[in-house]
């Protein structure tokens, strides 16, 4: 048993840039590790989410697996945080929202330049694509948002230290960026 | 005797004929706005500058300053409403800041920063909107248009009337004054005021993006309150 604050992180339809930015807190991660236990996270490679205090979600919702993962996180996380532009408004993957899904798949797997053996992948293990890429708040309730592409390391640090100290998290003007 | 109003309890002098916005700006009081520009006739469409005047809601850019008005501007309630309005603008259009070269110089974004807007709150429309890249020097991306009509007003002053808003509600759109409907067939010149007035990245000058890197742009260093008041006081280069 541990009395450390449990933190889980996950990447949905994102580029892992937000996770990289979290790691950019550099040596402060040692300080953090003294107070925080990272459970399900790409940093730990644990696949299942168990009950935790803070869940950080990177990326938007583009397929059925993302929906499942996000709902599982919502169930297990006391505070769920949307991290970065993709989680908040779909981000760059959102650019496919203006093209019908059939055309997207056609361009990628049937008609695109250099495509060999053209066919739409349909292995049952592959998650089904949604019609659009959705921000996470359109699927589950979100408690806090960290904007940015990615949010700066100091944004993670400010949010986590505020939370650990029992303060309402707040970002000063210079840390709020949408790009 | 000088006539005065009060804004958030502060006494502010005004001259006959000034709007509340003009009197406030002259006194160094920032009222958030997007469709207002000090050089053009007020339009009153974005509603961000809504203030409470003697208990009633009014848009500061269109409402005249009158002796004895007691005005509320920088209150939690008004800023909460302004944040909701800004969020509505974000979800109605397609504002993807990481992919926009106006990022850092964008007034819509800067107002979001000023209002501590961290998310878009509402369901996104994801409405496809057409882009017109036909003009040799100017690009119009309707995804980022917030219908402030500043380009319409500026183009009217340019004597060209290149831009107009057509349709209503969700079907409204920015249109161009040419037989083909394309920007390239209008009279728009890259030096026209209308090509430079857009507060968002809807009207961009080609081949100028990223000349100033992100991080060194207008609103990276200064809040929109500071830049706006600087502008109204004439401390600007263009």
């Amino acid at each position: 048993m541990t009395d450390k604050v449990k933190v889980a992180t996950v990447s949905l339809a994102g580029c892992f840039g937000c996770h990289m930015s979290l790691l950019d807190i550099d040596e402060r991660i040692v300080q953090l590790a003294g107070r925080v236990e990272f459970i399900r996270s790409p940093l730990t490679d644990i696949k299942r989410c168990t009950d935790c205090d803070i869940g950080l979600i990177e990326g938007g919702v583009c397929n059925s697996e993302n929906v499942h993962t996000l709902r599982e996180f919502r169930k297990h996380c006391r505070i769920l945080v949307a991290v970065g532009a993709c989680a908040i408004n779909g981000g760059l993957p959102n650019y496919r929202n203006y093209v019908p899904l059939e055309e997207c798949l056609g361009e990628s797997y049937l008609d695109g330049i250099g495509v060999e053996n053209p066919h739409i992948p349909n292995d049952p293990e592959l998650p089904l694509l949604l019609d659009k890429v959705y921000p996470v708040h359109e699927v589950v309730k979100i408690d806090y948002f960290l904007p940015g592409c990615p949010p700066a390391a100091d944004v993670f640090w400010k949010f986590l230290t505020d939370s650990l100290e029992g303060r309402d998290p707040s970002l000063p003007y210079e840390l709020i960026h949408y790009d | 005797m000088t006539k005065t109003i009060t804004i958030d309890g502060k006494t502010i002098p005004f001259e006959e004929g000034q709007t509340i916005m003009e009197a406030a700006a002259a006194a160094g009081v920032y009222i958030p706005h997007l469709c207002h520009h000090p050089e053009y006739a007020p339009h009153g469409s974005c509603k961000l500058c809504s203030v409470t005047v003697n208990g009633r809601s009014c848009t500061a850019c269109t409402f005249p300053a009158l002796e004895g008005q007691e005005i509320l501007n920088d209150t939690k309630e008004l800023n909460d409403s302004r944040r909701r309005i800004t969020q509505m603008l974000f979800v109605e259009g397609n504002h993807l800041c990481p992919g926009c070269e106006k990022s850092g110089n964008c007034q819509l974004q800067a107002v979001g920063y000023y209002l501590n807007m961290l998310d878009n709150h509402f369901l996104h429309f994801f409405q496809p909107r057409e882009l017109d890249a036909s003009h040799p020097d100017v690009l119009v991306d309707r995804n980022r248009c917030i219908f402030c009509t500043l380009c319409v007003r500026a183009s009217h002053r340019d004597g060209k009337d290149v831009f107009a808003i057509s349709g209503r509600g969700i079907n409204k759109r920015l249109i161009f004054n040419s037989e083909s409907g394309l920007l390239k067939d209008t009279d728009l010149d890259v030096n026209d005021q209308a090509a430079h007035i857009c507060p968002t990245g809807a009207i961009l000058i080609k081949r100028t993006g990223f000349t100033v890197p992100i991080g060194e742009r207008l609103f990276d260093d200064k809040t929109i309150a500071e830049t706006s008041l600087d502008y109204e006081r004439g401390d600007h280069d263009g």
Side-chain angles (χ1 to χ4, degrees), chain A residues 27 79 111 139 176:
Chain A
E27 70 273 14
I79 300 167
D111 314 316
V139 181
I176 301 176

Side-chain angles (χ1 to χ4, degrees), chain A residues 45-57:
Chain A
D45 207 29
I46 296 168
K47 305 292 184 207
R48 305 282 311 166
C49 184
T50 50
D51 285 352
C52 68
D53 299 294
I54 299 171
L56 303 171
I57 303 269

Side-chain angles (χ1 to χ4, degrees), chain A residues 3 49 60 65 78 98 135 141 145 154 178:
Chain A
D3 57 358
C49 184
E65 187 191 24
R78 197 163 55 80
Y98 315 103
K141 179 184 179 295
F145 297 84
D154 285 342
Y178 303 156

Side-chain angles (χ1 to χ4, degrees), chain A residues 85 88-92 94-95 97-98 132-135 137-138 144-149 171 173 176-179, chain B residues 90 94-99 103 109 112-114 116-124 126 128 214 219-220 222-223:
Chain A
I88 289 171
N89 67 11
L92 296 188
N94 168 343
Y95 277 105
N97 289 1
Y98 315 103
K132 290 185 184 344
V133 179
Y134 293 93
H137 78 270
E138 297 194 15
Y144 202 78
F145 297 84
L146 303 179
C149 183
L171 297 179
Y173 178 85
I176 301 176
H177 278 276
Y178 303 156
D179 56 20
Chain B
F90 266 82
N94 299 304
H95 299 277
L96 301 169
C97 299
S103 190
Q109 190 187 56
Y113 296 163
Y114 178 82
N116 195 36
M117 184 188 120
L118 302 182
D119 71 309
N120 294 350
H121 183 78
F122 298 103
L123 299 186
H124 289 66
F126 295 135
I214 286 174
F219 301 115
D220 291 327
K222 282 182 154 188
T223 67

